[in-house]
Amino acid sequence: MSAQAKIYSLFADKLFRVCLKYSKNYQDAQDTLQDSFLMIFKDIKKFKHKGSFEGWAKRVTVNVALQKFRDKSVLQFDAMEDSKFAEEDVFVDVDEKNISLDFLLSLIKELPPKYQVVFNLYVLDRYSHQEISELLKISTGTSKSNLFRARKLLQNKINNSKINSYENKHRQVIS
Amino acid sequence: MKINIDKLFRNKIKEFKVTTPYGVWSAVETKLKRRRMLRFFGVSFVSLMGFMFLFFQADKKSTADTTKKSTSKEYSKNKIETSIDNKDAVSEKFEKNQIKNNKKKVVNRNLSTNITKGKAIYVNKTTDVKNIQLAAKKVETTSFTSESKNNQHKKNKKIISGLPKKHPVKQEKSFGSKNDSLNSLALKKIDSSKVLNKNAVINEEKLVVTEKNRKWSITPIFGVFNSSRYSEISLALDNSFEDNSSVELPSISFGYKLAYEVSDKLSFQLGIVSKEVRFLTKDLFLTDITGFNSSNIVYNPGVLVRFSTSNINLSGDPGAQSVSLVQTIGYTEFPFEIRYAVYNKPKLKANFIVGLSFLFLEKNEIRSKTGLFSERIASVSNLLDSSLSYNFGLDIDYDLSKRFVFNAAIMLKKHFNTYSNYNNKTGPFVRGIHAGIGYKF
C-alpha cells in the first residue's frame, strides 16, 4: 500500500465527518473530501510537525470546505454586525436523549451559510473568535454576533420542533 | 431540562460516526496520477524548451560571430580598395601638379605616398643632401619637360638649401616611382584577397566543424516491453500462489532521452522514462474475507473479497468466482547508459548499450479480472519505493537530416532490489524495444 493510501485509510472517516458538517448533502461532502485529500497530498511538505497531523489535515479540510462556500458566493458577512448579545449563552429546554444527531445536523444545514460556518467553526470544531476572524477575514465582533444569531435561530428551531412534535402527538391521540 | 445549546451539539457530535464511501479513494488516486503525469510532461516540456532556448541562443551567437567576421572582412577589403582609389586620385593630382611646381611635387608626392600608406612623415638625420639632390634630378629627367628643367632645378636647390641641415629628409624607396607603390599596393590587394579567401575557407571549415559538432541529441521515446521473472511469478505476491500459472503481459513506456557524443565511438545517455511492468496470475478464485489472510496483498478499504487458490467458501454468480490477478508496477525510470558504436557509417550507426537505471515506484496496483468485470482492488506491501535495473541492449541511429535522427533500441533490463522481502531472483526483467526521432544540437 502506498503512503498516500495509508494516510487516506487512517484519516478518511474523520475528515469525512468534517466534510459532512460543512456540506449541504452527502455528494457535496464526498467532493469536499476528495478535494481535501488532493490538497493534503499537494501541501504535505508544508506540514511542519507542529501539532498533530490529524489537526493539520482537519484544518486543510475546513479550508477546502470554506473555499467551496466562497466559490458559490454565499458567504457574505455584513460589515456592521451587532455584537451586543454576542457573549450571551443560549439554552434550550429539551431532553438530550430524545434528540438525534441527524436532526441537529439538519438544523445546522438549514441555517444561512454565514451563521452555519461560524457556528460549525466555533462550537463543533472549537476555533476561537480570533481564529475565525482570520480565517473568514471578518472582525471578531462579526464572528461573535453571527454565532449569537446562529444560536438564537437554532434555539427557535428546536423549540418549534418541540411544539410541532407535541402537536403531532396530540393530534395522533385525538385521532 | 435546560441545556446549553453549544453543549447539546458538542455532546451529540461525539456520537457522529461515518464510513467514507468506497469510490472516493479511487477518484483521489486517479486525480493524483493525472497530476503526476501532468507534472512529468510539464517538466519534460519545460526542459525541452530550455534546451531549445539554449540551442538557439548558441546558434544566434555563432551567426553573430560569422556576421561580425564577414563585416570586418568587407571593411578591410573596402579599406584596401579605397586606399588604392585614393592612391590613384592622389597620383593623378600629383601628375597635374608635377608640371606646375617640381619642388612642391616632390614634397607632396612624398607626403601623399606616406599618407596613403598610413605612415607619418619623419625626418632622418643620417640621410644626406646629395641623395636628395640625385633623387630630384632623377625626377626631373624622367617626368618633366625640358622647358621647366632649369627653373625646377634651381627651385629644388633653393628648397633643399632651405631645409635645416641637421634634419635632412630621408629618401623613401617609393619616392621615385609611382608604379612601385601601386604595384606594392596591388600585391597587397592580392595578398588581402588571398587572406580573405583563406578566411572564407577557414570559416567554411568552421561551419563544417560546427555541423559535425552537434554532440547533443534529445529524443522523445515510446516503447513496448514484456515483463517476466526468472522464478515463479506469484511467490512475490503470496506464498500460496506458488503453483498458479503466470503469463507475461505487454506494457508501454515513454519519456525522453538525452545523449552526448564523447567521440565517434563513445557516447553517454541519460533520460526520464515512465514505464510499467505487468504480470498476470491465472487460476485464482475470489472468496469472502472470513478466515483468509494474504501475505503481501493489501486490499483497498471497502473491498470485501479476497484472492484464493481454492474454490471454497464462495457466494454469488459462479461466473464471477474464477478470477485472474493482474499486477501492475509503475516506475519513473532514470537511465544512465554508455553507448559504444560497433558500426559507424555517415548515416547509420549501431551501438552497444550498457548501463543502469534508477527506478522510483509510481504505481502499485492489483486488479481482479473475471469474465464479468475488471476492478482495482488491492496493492502489494513488499514493493520498495526505489530500486535499480541493469540495462543491456543494441540501438541504431539513422540520420534523417542534419538535425534529426531516428533512434531505435532493443533492450533487456534486469530489476534488482524490487521487493523488501524476496531475493533478486524474484525481481522482474523486461525486454522490448523503444524508438523515437531525436533532435541534434
Side-chain angles (χ1 to χ4, degrees):
Chain A
M1 189 190 266
S2 71
Q4 287 172 336
K6 274 180 191 166
I7 289 172
Y8 179 84
S9 61
L10 278 172
F11 300 107
D13 291 349
K14 288 167 186 169
L15 298 185
F16 192 51
R17 265 172 58 171
V18 178
C19 296
L20 278 170
K21 284 187 285 183
Y22 288 88
S23 305
K24 272 196 168 182
N25 53 48
Y26 204 74
Q27 186 57 47
D28 282 356
Q30 276 191 41
D31 291 346
T32 308
L33 182 70
Q34 193 179 309
D35 293 347
S36 301
F37 269 105
L38 288 171
M39 188 63 84
I40 286 165
F41 294 138
K42 187 186 161 202
D43 288 352
I44 203 156
K45 284 174 191 168
K46 291 180 185 170
F47 174 59
K48 303 290 179 194
H49 300 279
K50 290 174 184 170
S52 69
F53 181 79
E54 187 183 329
W56 178 79
K58 274 185 180 173
R59 279 199 297 281
V60 172
T61 308
V62 168
N63 276 324
V64 170
L66 292 178
Q67 190 54 48
K68 286 194 182 285
F69 277 104
R70 289 191 196 103
D71 292 345
K72 289 173 192 166
S73 304
V74 291
L75 212 58
Q76 286 167 352
F77 293 90
D78 301 325
M80 295 294 287
E81 293 275 0
D82 183 17
S83 59
K84 195 177 171 184
F85 304 103
E87 302 292 338
E88 202 175 282
D89 282 334
V90 176
F91 292 89
V92 283
D93 189 9
V94 286
D95 185 2
E96 198 180 328
K97 287 174 189 171
N98 292 338
I99 289 190
S100 72
L101 175 68
D102 287 345
F103 171 68
L104 292 179
L105 287 174
S106 70
L107 292 184
I108 292 174
K109 289 184 201 309
E110 283 171 17
L111 289 174
K114 57 181 181 178
Y115 299 152
Q116 183 189 337
V117 165
V118 174
F119 185 82
N120 273 336
L121 288 170
Y122 186 86
V123 177
L124 304 182
D125 292 323
R126 307 281 186 132
Y127 279 70
S128 68
H129 283 299
Q130 184 61 39
E131 287 169 322
I132 294 169
S133 69
E134 284 166 11
L135 200 60
L136 301 175
K137 294 184 175 63
I138 55 173
S139 68
T140 50
T142 308
S143 172
K144 284 175 185 174
S145 68
N146 276 286
L147 176 66
F148 178 72
R149 282 160 203 262
R151 281 169 175 161
K152 288 304 272 183
L153 278 171
L154 288 169
Q155 185 189 41
N156 291 338
K157 282 175 190 285
I158 291 168
N159 289 335
N160 286 341
S161 68
K162 233 170 63 182
I163 294 163
N164 288 339
S165 68
Y166 173 78
E167 281 174 354
N168 286 340
K169 275 181 189 175
H170 188 66
R171 271 178 205 149
Q172 281 171 5
V173 170
I174 292 167
S175 62
Chain B
M1 191 177 74
K2 280 197 171 184
I3 183 168
N4 186 308
I5 200 164
D6 291 6
K7 200 179 171 189
L8 174 70
F9 276 89
R10 279 173 187 160
N11 289 343
K12 282 286 171 187
I13 207 82
K14 281 179 192 167
E15 301 167 10
F16 190 26
K17 280 178 185 170
V18 287
T19 310
T20 319
Y22 172 58
V24 178
W25 172 242
S26 303
V28 170
E29 207 177 19
T30 311
K31 283 192 175 177
L32 284 170
K33 269 177 208 163
R34 203 176 296 156
R35 192 190 279 172
R36 254 182 243 135
M37 290 291 284
L38 277 172
R39 198 184 300 157
F40 171 76
F41 281 114
V43 169
S44 307
F45 182 74
V46 168
S47 320
L48 190 65
M49 287 296 109
F51 280 124
M52 297 282 273
F53 176 76
L54 286 174
F55 166 73
F56 282 116
Q57 284 298 105
D59 206 35
K60 262 184 190 175
K61 204 180 168 186
S62 63
T63 314
D65 285 348
T66 316
T67 316
K68 204 176 169 183
K69 275 177 191 171
S70 58
T71 312
S72 66
K73 271 182 236 160
E74 287 288 324
Y75 172 73
S76 37
K77 195 180 168 185
N78 287 341
K79 199 178 168 187
I80 291 161
E81 279 171 358
T82 312
S83 44
I84 291 163
D85 290 345
N86 285 344
K87 178 72 197 171
D88 291 343
V90 170
S91 306
E92 279 167 24
K93 200 178 174 183
F94 167 77
E95 277 173 359
K96 283 175 189 172
N97 288 339
Q98 258 184 342
I99 304 160
K100 290 179 184 173
N101 191 331
N102 186 33
K103 173 63 195 163
K104 201 176 175 181
K105 178 183 70 184
V106 172
V107 176
N108 276 348
R109 192 174 172 187
N110 196 9
L111 270 170
S112 67
T113 311
N114 282 323
I115 287 163
T116 52
K117 280 185 173 180
K119 289 177 186 173
I121 299 164
Y122 66 96
V123 180
N124 196 336
K125 288 180 184 177
T126 55
T127 312
D128 56 14
V129 179
K130 275 185 182 175
N131 288 337
I132 297 166
Q133 284 173 333
L134 282 168
K137 274 181 186 174
K138 198 179 174 185
V139 169
E140 278 173 353
T141 51
T142 53
S143 309
F144 303 131
T145 55
S146 54
E147 200 179 314
S148 59
K149 264 183 190 175
N150 292 329
N151 293 333
Q152 288 302 326
H153 186 66
K154 280 174 190 173
K155 277 178 188 173
N156 280 344
K157 273 185 179 175
K158 259 186 187 178
I159 288 163
I160 289 161
S161 62
L163 286 169
K165 282 182 182 175
K166 284 181 183 176
H167 305 286
V169 177
K170 186 189 174 184
Q171 187 186 0
E172 293 283 331
K173 196 184 174 183
S174 60
F175 174 80
S177 166
K178 175 190 163 189
N179 288 335
D180 282 353
S181 55
L182 283 175
N183 285 339
S184 67
L185 279 165
L187 280 170
K188 271 186 187 173
K189 193 180 173 183
I190 290 161
D191 286 346
S192 304
S193 63
K194 272 183 187 172
V195 171
L196 282 173
N197 289 335
K198 202 177 175 183
N199 282 341
V201 171
I202 289 165
N203 278 334
E204 275 169 18
E205 277 170 1
K206 271 183 186 174
L207 282 170
V208 172
V209 170
T210 314
E211 276 178 7
K212 278 184 182 172
N213 277 353
R214 285 189 195 117
K215 288 176 179 289
W216 291 91
S217 69
I218 186 158
T219 314
I221 52 166
F222 181 82
V224 185
F225 284 88
N226 223 353
S227 326
S228 189
R229 289 191 181 102
Y230 292 121
S231 68
E232 288 84 357
I233 181 176
S234 312
L235 271 174
L237 286 170
D238 195 298
N239 287 329
S240 61
F241 296 171
E242 195 175 354
D243 297 327
N244 289 80
S245 59
S246 61
V247 177
E248 298 172 357
L249 284 178
S251 50
I252 58 162
S253 72
F254 55 90
Y256 288 97
K257 202 166 69 173
L258 180 72
Y260 178 75
E261 216 171 80
V262 181
S263 67
D264 284 347
K265 287 271 181 191
L266 196 68
S267 58
F268 293 106
Q269 66 182 22
L270 51 91
I272 179 166
V273 178
S274 176
K275 78 168 184 189
E276 284 183 356
V277 180
R278 294 169 77 221
F279 305 104
L280 177 80
T281 306
K282 283 176 153 184
D283 309 324
L284 288 170
F285 299 95
L286 281 178
T287 184
D288 59 27
I289 295 171
T290 319
F292 188 79
N293 283 320
S294 182
S295 54
N296 293 314
I297 300 174
V298 181
Y299 293 88
N300 290 346
V303 173
L304 300 174
V305 288
R306 298 290 183 262
F307 289 109
S308 170
T309 50
S310 55
N311 189 5
I312 51 159
N313 200 18
L314 296 171
S315 58
D317 183 0
Q321 291 163 5
S322 181
V323 70
S324 295
L325 182 155
V326 181
Q327 183 184 17
T328 308
I329 309 168
Y331 287 109
T332 298
E333 180 185 3
F334 296 92
F336 294 87
E337 291 160 343
I338 300 168
R339 300 195 313 165
Y340 184 78
V342 287
Y343 177 82
N344 196 352
K345 293 285 170 190
K347 279 215 145 204
L348 186 69
K349 201 172 174 181
N351 305 287
F352 178 68
I353 304 172
V354 63
L356 57 90
S357 292
F358 296 95
L359 302 159
F360 296 94
L361 186 68
E362 289 293 333
K363 190 177 188 179
N364 172 10
E365 76 169 41
I366 285 176
R367 298 184 82 87
S368 60
K369 196 177 174 187
T370 71
L372 299 175
F373 65 89
S374 167
E375 193 163 341
R376 220 184 89 219
I377 60 167
S379 56
V380 289
S381 58
N382 61 344
L383 278 175
L384 289 173
D385 285 341
S386 57
S387 55
L388 278 175
S389 77
Y390 297 142
N391 312 336
F392 307 94
L394 275 169
D395 81 344
I396 53 156
D397 282 337
Y398 181 77
D399 285 348
L400 300 171
S401 68
K402 283 174 185 173
R403 291 278 185 198
F404 292 97
V405 60
F406 171 77
N407 174 265
I410 305 168
M411 296 297 296
L412 171 72
K413 298 184 179 184
K414 174 73 183 91
H415 288 218
F416 282 84
N417 213 27
T418 308
Y419 300 103
S420 57
N421 54 358
Y422 284 91
N423 63 32
N424 284 324
K425 269 191 174 180
T426 53
F429 64 86
V430 293
R431 54 192 184 280
I433 58 163
H434 67 241
I437 292 173
Y439 181 77
K440 291 197 281 185
F441 57 97

